[in-house]
Amino acid sequence: MERFRYLAPGLAVAAQLQPSDMALAAAAGFTRVVNNRPDGEEAGQPNGDSMRQAAEAAGLEYHYLPVLSGSLTDANVTEFAQLAQTFDSPVLLYCRSGTRCAHLWALQQAQAGAQTLEQIVAAAATAGYDLQGLLPRMREQ
């Protein structure tokens, strides 16, 4: 499995990263990292503060936008959409498996009308994420 899965040029998702992965992300050309995983979701998971410190030490801008597993809200999509407006360089999103990040991106893209639903689903499929179950909600956006 590839460490970084691209949903669009300049935007990739990843499964849980470790502080040591921040230097790899910077070397891969990312300039921003968005953590979509709430602190304390799983034992042994690095917390947001340690990830922020590692990201900043690697020269990355860090954002903490936690999304509860299985509970992606419209408020999460709105907050991500506001953050996405500031993206002007390669961005890496991560959570436990990358799926929440892919869902968050897909809903934001559907809401913005930036791509057709077919394009969004195809981009996610290319990255290894099946969004068929998310289509009804994407249509509501």
Side-chain angles (χ1 to χ4, degrees):
M1 179 175 85
E2 300 228 0
R3 182 174 298 272
F4 308 127
R5 297 176 175 195
Y6 285 82
L7 296 170
L11 185 105
V13 298
Q16 178 66 57
L17 299 175
Q18 298 298 316
S20 60
D21 293 321
M22 293 298 121
L24 295 173
F30 295 102
T31 58
R32 295 178 184 214
V33 174
V34 179
N35 176 359
N36 291 135
R37 193 161 189 209
D39 282 346
E41 187 174 68
E42 185 174 66
Q45 163 194 340
N47 67 33
D49 287 339
S50 65
M51 295 302 287
R52 175 184 301 280
Q53 291 171 5
E56 290 174 353
L60 299 167
E61 188 176 313
Y62 176 90
H63 299 274
Y64 181 63
L65 180 66
V67 175
L68 294 176
S69 181
S71 299
L72 179 60
T73 67
D74 289 341
N76 295 140
V77 176
T78 298
E79 189 174 358
F80 178 69
Q82 291 169 346
L83 181 60
Q85 290 177 6
T86 70
F87 293 167
D88 57 0
S89 56
V91 178
L92 176 62
L93 311 172
Y94 78 90
C95 60
R96 188 185 65 76
S97 68
T99 301
R100 260 177 283 189
C101 300
H103 285 194
L104 187 61
W105 169 82
L107 290 168
Q108 178 268 330
Q109 290 291 295
Q111 184 181 70
Q115 302 181 61
T116 67
L117 297 185
E118 293 78 17
Q119 290 170 321
I120 296 167
V121 169
T126 299
Y129 298 99
D130 180 359
L131 298 185
Q132 293 299 318
L134 192 63
L135 272 171
R137 186 163 176 197
M138 290 169 61
R139 287 185 184 105
E140 294 173 6
Q141 298 295 311

